[in-house]
Amino acid sequence: MSKTAGIVIIGNEVLSGKTQDINSHFFCTELRRLGVEVQKISTIQDEIELIGHEVADFSKRFDYVFTSGGVGPTHDDVTIDGIAHGFGLKVVRHPDIEQRMRRRLGDQVNEARLRMANVPEGATLLATEALFAPIVKVQNVYIFPGIPKILQERFHAIKEQFRDAP
């Protein structure tokens, strides 16, 4: 296999045993079918500096980096902040994501939920046509939510771009 990948699972709930990680297994299975060799999986805490360091390091070592977790509206969802920190970028509110959220949530939108519209400056949005919240890509890093059903749906929307000779 000519392309490599690293997976970073982010979440205290995984490390404490409260949540079982099935996302890394899903990524490994799907990427292998596409001809991409997963070379390392790391499970880390919800800490901005740790996330930044780990993701930036993986970005240098692998062709693709997939993150899972830490992109929701709660106080411990710091993946975006961590990745921005790791690449020396600012966090900005993406107008397209904010508009989608306001359309979908109406008067139920609040500042906590709008945090889900924050992205590292210069990020690219993928799978924007069918999904409420698109995939955020920074350099070779693909940022996914931790909820398995949503992660899988979003991965399937972009997976062909990773296809190589298996």
Side-chain angles (χ1 to χ4, degrees):
M1 297 185 192
S2 61
K3 296 290 183 180
T4 61
I7 299 167
V8 181
I9 304 299
I10 301 161
N12 295 340
E13 64 278 5
V14 175
L15 292 168
S16 70
K18 291 179 184 175
T19 301
Q20 183 177 6
D21 167 39
I22 61 172
N23 292 335
S24 59
H25 179 262
F26 169 80
F27 277 137
C28 289
T29 303
E30 290 295 319
L31 290 167
R32 181 172 174 80
R33 288 181 185 147
L34 294 166
V36 178
E37 180 184 7
V38 175
Q39 293 186 339
K40 186 170 184 178
I41 300 169
S42 178
T43 303
I44 60 173
Q45 295 175 321
D46 296 300
E47 294 178 11
I48 291 172
E49 288 194 18
L50 178 59
I51 294 166
H53 174 76
E54 192 78 351
V55 171
D57 179 56
F58 271 46
S59 177
K60 292 174 193 160
R61 295 171 59 191
F62 307 112
D63 296 307
Y64 308 117
V65 179
F66 299 91
T67 72
S68 167
V71 293
T74 62
H75 71 283
D76 65 341
D77 289 319
V78 294
T79 296
I80 294 295
D81 298 300
I83 291 172
H85 175 76
F87 288 113
L89 302 170
K90 293 181 196 173
V91 174
V92 297
R93 181 145 302 155
H94 198 286
D96 181 52
I97 300 173
E98 181 177 359
Q99 182 181 35
R100 289 168 187 249
M101 292 182 75
R102 289 188 183 281
R103 234 184 355 251
R104 181 172 179 191
L105 299 172
D107 61 359
Q108 294 181 349
V109 75
N110 58 34
E111 191 56 34
R113 288 182 171 160
L114 283 175
R115 287 184 64 227
M116 294 173 59
N118 291 348
V119 299
E121 191 171 39
T124 304
L125 302 183
L126 303 174
T128 57
E129 61 284 339
L131 303 171
F132 164 59
I135 297 161
V136 176
K137 178 184 177 226
V138 179
Q139 296 182 22
N140 62 336
V141 178
Y142 298 81
I143 304 167
F144 286 84
I147 300 168
K149 182 178 190 278
I150 298 171
L151 178 143
Q152 292 171 19
E153 171 189 278
R154 292 180 186 170
F155 182 82
H156 286 304
I158 67 164
K159 72 180 183 181
E160 288 305 317
Q161 71 182 356
F162 306 111
R163 186 171 297 283
D164 205 356

